[in-house]
Amino acid sequence: MQMQVSEKRWFVGLLAIVGIIGASLFIVSLIQTPNNSFLCSVNYSNKNDNTPTSLQLNSILHYATSTITPQQSLSEITITFDVLKSLKRPCNFLVFGLGLDSLMWASLNPRGRTLFLEEDPSWFQKVVKDAPELNAHTVKYRTQLREADALLSSYRNEPFCSPVRAMPLRGNERCKLALHNLPDEVYDTEWDLIMVDAPRGYFAEAPGRMAAIFTAAVMGRNRKGSGVTHVFLHDVDRKVEKVYAEEFLCRKNLVKGVGRLWHFEIPSKVNSTIHDTVFC
């Protein structure tokens, strides 16, 4: 019996080691491209600089020694990962939500700027306690999920919710869908990618994602640099996310969808001579 217990412990220990190695290889496969360069945010002024950042190393250690898995599926994660690789330059990545996968998102954009916005102060403290290197802020929303239908039917009556007059978002208190009181860093940065995976939207009193979707659409339309703004919306199996995506992000801008994630490419309207009265 003692020999059986000893052998069992040895076998469990071996499985744990194999699991750690496997998890490490999985994270490495995500944070490295085939030519051993790190994603879009590689410093192309020095192409031989393939040294992993401390954030990436912490991320590998974190996930390799934890039972925690990302909230999105591998196929969903891959959509954003492929965009990060394709841009081939330092990226500005805005994420609505802070979670158990935030360290992964930051490590996939190691030399760019990744900013997380979280509505729940207690959850914020829990996450940043374990990952203090994350760039994150708490934010407040003025909406509740129960208002989704009313806001959708009435926003066109408010001039400051129109595609033309919604900017600047900062200080736009007239439009309830506009996130007007975010940290200055949000407004002062032109975002290449915007992930909407928060705030909570599964009970009536929750903020819902209506304002986050609207704000992402306005930011994309007002992009001053070249290219499009990539917007990723999660949980599109839910009614509000789907309806608001079709209203503000537009079906014509939807380029890919996998599982519960939709990827939109929002073109800039800054230099357009046509003043749109509707988003789509």
Side-chain angles (χ1 to χ4, degrees):
M1 176 67 73
Q2 187 175 2
M3 175 65 78
Q4 290 178 344
V5 171
S6 177
E7 289 177 351
K8 184 177 180 181
R9 288 176 178 173
W10 176 87
F11 182 68
V12 171
L14 179 61
L15 285 178
I17 293 172
V18 171
I20 290 172
I21 293 173
S24 299
L25 291 174
F26 172 74
I27 296 296
V28 169
S29 70
L30 281 179
I31 67 175
Q32 288 188 304
T33 62
N35 64 358
N36 203 38
S37 297
F38 285 95
L39 308 184
C40 72
S41 52
V42 125
N43 183 356
Y44 277 83
S45 63
N46 183 5
K47 293 187 178 181
N48 294 321
D49 181 14
N50 295 324
T51 306
T53 66
S54 61
L55 178 66
Q56 290 175 313
L57 294 176
N58 288 341
S59 180
I60 292 173
L61 181 63
H62 172 76
Y63 291 110
T65 59
S66 172
T67 58
I68 294 172
T69 56
Q71 292 160 248
Q72 295 183 21
S73 68
L74 177 59
S75 58
E76 291 169 342
I77 292 169
T78 301
I79 292 182
T80 307
F81 174 69
D82 286 343
V83 172
L84 284 166
K85 286 193 298 182
S86 69
L87 292 177
K88 297 180 180 179
R89 56 179 171 76
C91 298
N92 293 326
F93 188 7
L94 178 64
V95 183
F96 285 91
L98 185 67
L100 303 178
D101 54 1
S102 296
L103 194 58
M104 178 196 69
W105 291 124
S107 69
L108 293 180
N109 185 34
R111 295 176 178 85
R113 173 181 291 181
T114 305
L115 175 63
F116 300 92
L117 303 178
E118 172 58 39
E119 47 110 1
D120 185 343
S122 59
W123 178 247
F124 174 90
Q125 292 298 330
K126 175 178 173 57
V127 174
V128 299
K129 179 181 178 181
D130 295 331
E133 60 270 70
L134 294 176
N135 182 14
H137 297 280
T138 55
V139 296
K140 294 182 179 180
Y141 291 84
R142 297 184 287 169
T143 58
Q144 289 189 339
L145 186 64
R146 69 172 88 224
E147 303 172 307
D149 291 340
L151 288 170
L152 193 65
S153 62
S154 64
Y155 84 92
R156 293 187 185 183
N157 297 325
E158 172 50 62
F160 284 88
C161 286
S162 71
V164 177
R165 300 187 66 183
M167 284 291 282
L169 288 164
R170 178 165 35 201
N172 184 359
E173 297 184 28
R174 297 277 295 275
C175 178
K176 196 169 182 179
L177 287 172
L179 293 177
H180 72 292
N181 60 346
L182 299 176
D184 288 339
E185 182 181 359
V186 178
Y187 304 119
D188 297 338
T189 304
E190 186 151 276
W191 301 101
D192 303 304
L193 302 90
I194 302 175
M195 172 80 71
V196 180
D197 205 0
R200 292 171 293 177
Y202 52 87
F203 59 96
E205 296 78 17
R209 298 181 186 171
M210 302 84 71
I213 294 170
F214 176 87
T215 297
V218 172
M219 287 179 171
R221 291 174 61 91
N222 285 274
R223 181 182 182 86
K224 296 179 175 61
S226 60
V228 298
T229 302
H230 298 271
V231 177
F232 308 91
L233 176 62
H234 199 224
D235 296 319
V236 294
D237 56 319
R238 301 193 305 209
K239 176 186 174 182
V240 169
E241 279 79 357
K242 183 176 181 180
V243 170
Y244 270 72
E246 293 176 340
E247 180 74 16
F248 298 111
L249 299 175
C250 313
R251 276 279 182 178
K252 63 183 179 182
N253 298 328
L254 178 62
V255 294
K256 195 168 186 179
V258 172
R260 296 181 294 140
L261 185 83
W262 280 354
H263 170 207
F264 297 85
E265 292 182 354
I266 310 299
S268 172
K269 298 291 185 178
V270 169
N271 297 319
S272 175
T273 57
I274 302 175
H275 298 295
D276 297 333
T277 57
V278 294
F279 281 85
C280 302

